[in-house]
Amino acid sequence: MSNPHAVVTGGAGFVGSHLVDSLLDDDFEVTSLDNFGSGRPENLEHIKSDRFNSVEHDVRNPFPDLDDADYVFHFSSRASPKDFESHAVEIALANSEGTHNALEFARKHDARTILASTSEIYGDPEVHPQNEEYNGNVNLRGPRSPYDESKRFSEALAVAYQEQYDLDIRTVRIFNTYGPRMRPDDGRVIPNFLSQALNREPLTVYGDGTQTRSFCYVSDLLDGIRPFARAEKETAAGEVINLGSTEEIKILTLAETIIDVLDADSDIVFRDLPEDDPKVRRPDISRAKQLLSWEPNVSLESGIKRTLPYFENELGVSID
Ligand code: NAD
Ligand code: UDP
């Protein structure tokens, strides 16, 4: 039998490139579709396998005519709040028109689809921790809404395709994930703090730093996505699961932790809190635990240590 073929949108991005690696490890043929907007060809340069193909493609356009596909992993979307305003239209369309194109492609090939959703669909949550039944508290017209609402629409479209065409679609709501291959200028908090500490600059905490997040190391995320994608149809078709760390931390404590782990001599400075910045975030992962026996096991300190060499190399500076 030939190897299953997975089409990964956003394969040149942070999560997407790790996903490509893991699929190749699992003997898939893999085609990445990416417009190299926030992703980089360098993230795929290490791949020598002849089972891999990288195609420059913008998912806002109908997908290229590939011979076959068994799986579609729809992961293409800028994900940094820094881009939510500067790339608002592209983000909104990548998660609406792009999802439409991904689902039409999956329908044509009768491919199983794994859709990357986000904890952002819960907005500034009033239920804590967030479970999959919670409908969220999103500002429809705020600066984050092109991302949040298009991800919500993406899920709605997935439900529609699942219902109307009986497609096998599985949705992962990803909570803050970090690791090597995040761009140092990505704008998200861990790349910012690591870059600032390595450059001996002050760490910029937005607001008073009492807002919380739960940070998942990328290998833990992949350890959840892999069995979810592979699970029997009866178990997982149409399912939605949260994937993320339950180790909740205040952003000010994160800054202090990074300074400690790196033994850096940076100060902490406070900057304005962006509008609609969620005050708390932590996933309820009971469903993923029950379905997949999954739970993350890389501590924040250990994940930071594993991420550090990549940032040292990217920035050409070392903490020593
Ligand atoms: P990323 O920016 O590193 O990766 C996104 C990839 O999608 C990039 O390679 C980019 O070039 C590509 N892309 C964007 N718009 C495109 C378009 N119109 N056409 C084709 N390609 C396009 O971000 P990431 O953190 O790796 O996020 C990957 C996915 O995971 C996204 O769907 C994101 O919403 C989701 N997610 C990530 C996190 C996280 O913490 N990393 C959290 C929640 C959800
Ligand atoms: N943040 C910060 N300093 C930074 C970047 C981000 O204090 O340099 C805060 C941000 O306001 C938010 C949290 O860190 O409360 C996580 O931000 P990120 O952009 O990584 O992702 P979000 O969870 O907001 O989507």
Side-chain angles (χ1 to χ4, degrees):
M1 245 175 61
S2 61
N3 307 66
H5 181 198
V7 174
V8 178
T9 74
F14 157 54
V15 174
S17 62
H18 288 282
L19 175 61
V20 167
D21 286 342
S22 82
L23 290 166
L24 289 170
D25 285 347
D26 289 345
D27 291 331
F28 279 78
E29 302 238 352
V30 182
T31 303
S32 162
L33 303 181
D34 201 299
N35 70 353
F36 303 117
S38 56
R40 304 192 289 184
E42 298 91 290
N43 287 342
L44 301 168
E45 254 169 11
H46 61 283
I47 301 174
K48 305 286 175 246
S49 172
D50 59 7
R51 286 182 282 109
F52 177 65
N53 195 15
S54 170
V55 178
E56 184 166 354
H57 178 75
D58 193 307
V59 295
R60 290 172 287 178
N61 301 314
F63 281 23
D65 210 6
L66 304 178
D67 286 344
D68 58 58
D70 302 297
Y71 290 77
V72 175
F73 290 84
H74 184 42
F75 278 62
S76 56
S77 169
R78 287 174 180 263
S80 172
K82 191 175 112 180
D83 293 342
F84 290 175
E85 285 180 85
S86 58
H87 291 77
V89 174
E90 175 175 352
I91 289 172
L93 291 177
N95 293 306
S96 52
E97 196 56 50
T99 303
H100 179 219
N101 289 325
L103 291 171
E104 273 302 307
F105 177 83
R107 181 157 87 102
K108 181 172 160 199
H109 293 283
D110 196 23
R112 178 178 294 177
T113 303
I114 291 80
L115 180 69
S117 185
T118 166
S119 52
E120 284 285 326
I121 63 104
Y122 300 121
D124 188 10
E126 292 159 319
V127 167
H128 192 64
Q130 294 77 54
N131 63 39
E132 293 86 350
E133 301 305 314
Y134 177 48
N135 282 324
N137 176 38
V138 172
N139 179 356
L140 169 62
R141 299 177 64 86
R144 300 170 87 98
S145 75
Y147 182 73
D148 297 9
E149 290 293 349
S150 66
K151 284 287 188 184
R152 289 170 68 92
F153 174 75
S154 211
E155 287 206 30
L157 198 60
V159 171
Y161 269 72
Q162 175 90 35
E163 289 297 312
Q164 195 167 331
Y165 302 122
D166 197 26
L167 267 188
D168 177 346
I169 306 172
R170 305 162 182 213
T171 302
V172 283
R173 290 186 183 149
I174 302 170
F175 283 63
N176 298 66
T177 299
Y178 69 100
R181 302 189 195 149
M182 290 185 104
R183 286 177 294 120
D185 64 352
D186 175 283
R188 284 179 277 187
V189 68
I190 290 191
N192 271 10
F193 285 178
L194 283 178
S195 303
Q196 290 161 345
L198 284 168
N199 287 326
R200 294 175 162 73
E201 292 164 1
L203 273 57
T204 52
V205 167
Y206 301 162
D208 61 5
T210 55
Q211 71 273 29
T212 69
R213 296 292 186 274
S214 313
F215 294 97
C216 183
Y217 188 66
V218 63
S219 63
D220 276 336
L221 176 71
L222 266 303
D223 286 347
I225 293 175
R226 278 161 110 147
F228 188 51
R230 287 243 160 148
E232 294 296 318
K233 190 169 178 182
E234 297 66 39
T235 315
E239 272 293 351
V240 53
I241 55 167
N242 288 336
L243 290 179
S245 165
T246 51
E247 200 185 333
E248 186 177 359
I249 184 173
K250 290 190 173 94
I251 294 302
L252 179 57
T253 314
L254 173 71
E256 291 162 352
T257 305
I258 287 186
I259 289 173
D260 271 3
V261 172
L262 273 63
D263 199 17
D265 50 16
S266 290
D267 294 330
I268 291 174
V269 294
F270 294 88
R271 299 280 178 260
D272 289 347
L273 186 68
E275 197 184 331
D276 290 339
D277 199 285
K279 287 182 271 308
V280 290
R281 183 181 292 157
R282 170 161 55 101
D284 178 333
I285 58 168
S286 326
R287 191 177 289 180
K289 262 189 190 164
Q290 193 229 326
L291 275 181
L292 312 169
S293 305
W294 171 86
E295 61 184 321
N297 57 39
V298 179
S299 70
L300 182 60
E301 280 201 10
S302 161
I304 290 168
K305 284 182 189 151
R306 292 192 205 184
T307 307
L308 184 59
Y310 175 82
F311 279 80
E312 288 182 319
N313 188 47
E314 281 290 303
L315 295 168
V317 286
S318 163
I319 199 65
D320 310 317

